Amino acid sequence: MLLEQLVEKAGQCPEYDWDSYYRWYFSQLAGREVSDFKFWQCKKCLSVNVLFLPARYGKCRSCELIYLPSDL
């Protein structure tokens, strides 16, 4: 019975649209419209950072290392 309920729940659409929520949240943080975002890990201090696209580069929040995305 429980397994059937779990399988049925997994087949349903999620209750919340997390992509839209994070797009709105990061737009509020950045103070401008954010079309997309990307998480990246600093190679120097290993901290996780957020890049608000369409930005051309990002800066590490801990050590201020400049990050240039390879897909731009």
Side-chain angles (χ1 to χ4, degrees), residues 22-23 26 34-41 48-59 67-72:
Y22 281 120
R23 194 172 300 115
F26 290 142
V34 173
S35 61
D36 200 9
F37 53 91
K38 181 178 181 180
F39 293 102
W40 60 280
Q41 184 176 18
V48 176
N49 299 284
V50 178
L51 178 65
F52 302 124
L53 298 176
R56 295 184 182 260
Y57 66 93
K59 188 185 274 190
Y67 170 73
L68 297 172
S70 58
D71 57 347
L72 290 179

Side-chain angles (χ1 to χ4, degrees), residues 16-64:
Y16 304 103
D17 186 3
W18 290 108
D19 291 333
S20 295
Y21 169 74
Y22 281 120
R23 194 172 300 115
W24 169 82
Y25 180 69
F26 290 142
S27 294
Q28 296 296 315
L29 288 178
R32 59 178 170 81
E33 183 65 30
V34 173
S35 61
D36 200 9
F37 53 91
K38 181 178 181 180
F39 293 102
W40 60 280
Q41 184 176 18
C42 180
K43 293 182 179 184
K44 183 178 176 185
C45 67
L46 302 177
S47 65
V48 176
N49 299 284
V50 178
L51 178 65
F52 302 124
L53 298 176
R56 295 184 182 260
Y57 66 93
K59 188 185 274 190
C60 178
R61 60 188 166 93
S62 297
C63 68
E64 298 186 358

